[in-house]
């Protein structure tokens, strides 16, 4: 199910969350934005080979953090502002997402 969501969203060039919704992802947007900056920064460092300059323990820690950020923020990594609309497929499972959208007035 999660794979179908990600493929459809990528095809439509939309942002998506196909894993667990992180509480406060929208209502605490400033913190989420900081996480997105860290994620993009780590990706750039990895592509440029700067992680190889660190010791083995730090590289392992950063790769684990990068995998975690990819899993939860990978679908919104280029999101720069709050969305105009949110589509929730399972309202019972993603109740927190629904509450955040209601709080912010996002349809």
């Amino acid at each position: 199910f999660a794979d179908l969501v990600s493929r459809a969203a990528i095809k439509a060039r939309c942002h998506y969350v196909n894993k667990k919704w992180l509480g406060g992802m929208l209502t605490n947007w400033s913190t989420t934005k900081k996480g997105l900056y860290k994620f993009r920064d780590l990706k750039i460092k990895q592509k440029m080979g700067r992680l190889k300059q660190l010791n083995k323990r730090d590289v392992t820690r950063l790769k684990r953090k990068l995998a975690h950020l990819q899993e939860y923020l990978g679908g919104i990594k280029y999101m720069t502002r709050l969305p105009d609309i949110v589509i929730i497929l399972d309202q019972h499972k993603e109740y927190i997402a629904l509450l955040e959208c209601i709080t912010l007035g996002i349809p």
Side-chain angles (χ1 to χ4, degrees), residues 22-40:
L22 300 177
M25 192 180 290
L26 296 177
T27 53
N28 197 1
W29 178 244
S30 61
T31 304
T32 305
K33 202 183 326 184
K34 287 177 189 173
L36 291 172
Y37 287 137
K38 285 181 187 176
F39 177 51
R40 282 182 245 156

Side-chain angles (χ1 to χ4, degrees), residues 1 11 76 99:
F1 187 69
K11 196 172 187 179
I76 64 166
L99 287 177

Side-chain angles (χ1 to χ4, degrees), residues 4-99:
L4 292 173
V5 170
S6 64
R7 274 194 265 145
I10 290 169
K11 196 172 187 179
R13 300 184 70 200
C14 296
H15 304 292
Y16 64 93
V17 175
N18 62 345
K19 296 285 182 186
K20 180 183 173 214
W21 184 271
L22 300 177
M25 192 180 290
L26 296 177
T27 53
N28 197 1
W29 178 244
S30 61
T31 304
T32 305
K33 202 183 326 184
K34 287 177 189 173
L36 291 172
Y37 287 137
K38 285 181 187 176
F39 177 51
R40 282 182 245 156
D41 188 44
L42 277 175
K43 282 291 250 190
I44 290 169
K45 284 181 180 178
Q46 185 183 34
K47 284 183 181 179
M48 295 179 76
R50 289 195 180 149
L51 295 183
K52 294 176 185 175
Q53 298 170 352
L54 301 171
N55 63 30
K56 199 172 188 178
R57 188 179 80 209
D58 289 341
V59 170
T60 304
R61 184 178 50 85
L62 287 174
K63 283 186 178 181
R64 194 177 304 132
K65 186 174 184 172
L66 188 63
H68 177 77
L69 290 170
Q70 174 64 40
E71 185 174 352
Y72 290 105
L73 300 178
I76 64 166
K77 65 183 165 192
Y78 297 116
M79 197 161 118
T80 57
R81 60 182 178 86
L82 289 173
D84 296 326
I85 188 169
V86 175
I87 299 171
I88 300 172
L89 298 182
D90 188 355
Q91 292 181 359
H92 294 290
K93 184 179 173 188
E94 300 300 340
Y95 185 69
I96 295 170
L98 182 64
L99 287 177

